[in-house]
Amino acid sequence: MEESLRPGDAFDPDCPTRLVLDRIGDKWSVLVVLSLLDGPRRFTELRDTIGGVTPKVLTQTLRVMERDGLLTREVFAEVPPRVEYALTPLGRSLRAPIEAVTAWAEANVGAVVAARARHDERASRAAAVG
């Protein structure tokens, strides 16, 4: 089997699998995938849908995702030029895992926020005593 097509080992520090995990673990990449699941979007549509991302960070995220084969960038010869981003089949294959993680996050955000508050309160009390 060609080296680049072999399954990876995420626990091997030299395995490129970690690069892939970095990409799909990045919040902006996850939000771009979710935004593009319904079809192609222009840059401004992506920025407005995602919210809170700077144009610079969104541009960097889109470039890396294109390089990784997760999306395509199509430039239309119009005035002004129109650019659309769309998921590739590889990018669309992230639908189920990303939707599952997003559903878990939305269902458990209250528990996580409450746990953080309890932790911070304990840490604050311990700092005051010690």
Side-chain angles (χ1 to χ4, degrees):
M1 183 184 292
E2 185 181 325
E3 183 67 30
S4 64
L5 298 179
R6 290 188 185 172
D9 177 0
F11 291 102
D12 177 355
D14 297 321
C15 182
T17 298
R18 291 188 178 197
L19 299 173
V20 176
L21 289 173
D22 284 345
R23 177 63 34 237
I24 62 173
D26 172 67
K27 71 177 173 182
W28 301 121
S29 296
V30 168
L31 294 171
V32 166
V33 169
L34 289 171
S35 297
L36 293 175
L37 286 175
D38 292 329
R41 289 185 184 257
R42 296 174 76 169
F43 182 90
T44 305
E45 293 174 298
L46 283 169
R47 188 192 67 217
D48 293 347
T49 300
I50 292 170
V53 64
T54 65
K56 178 182 177 184
V57 169
L58 181 56
T59 297
Q60 291 169 341
T61 300
L62 293 169
R63 285 181 181 159
V64 172
M65 291 179 72
E66 181 182 15
R67 181 176 181 227
D68 290 346
L70 300 175
L71 60 79
T72 59
R73 178 182 185 270
E74 186 174 1
V75 180
F76 296 88
E78 300 174 358
V79 178
R82 178 171 52 106
V83 179
E84 287 186 347
Y85 297 90
L87 293 174
T88 63
L90 182 61
R92 282 191 300 277
S93 74
L94 288 169
R95 177 182 210 123
I98 285 179
E99 284 181 340
V101 170
T102 301
W104 181 92
E106 291 173 347
N108 292 286
V109 65
V112 171
V113 169
R116 282 184 177 194
R118 288 189 304 272
H119 178 275
D120 292 350
E121 178 61 29
R122 285 190 307 266
S124 178
R125 282 193 305 258
V129 172

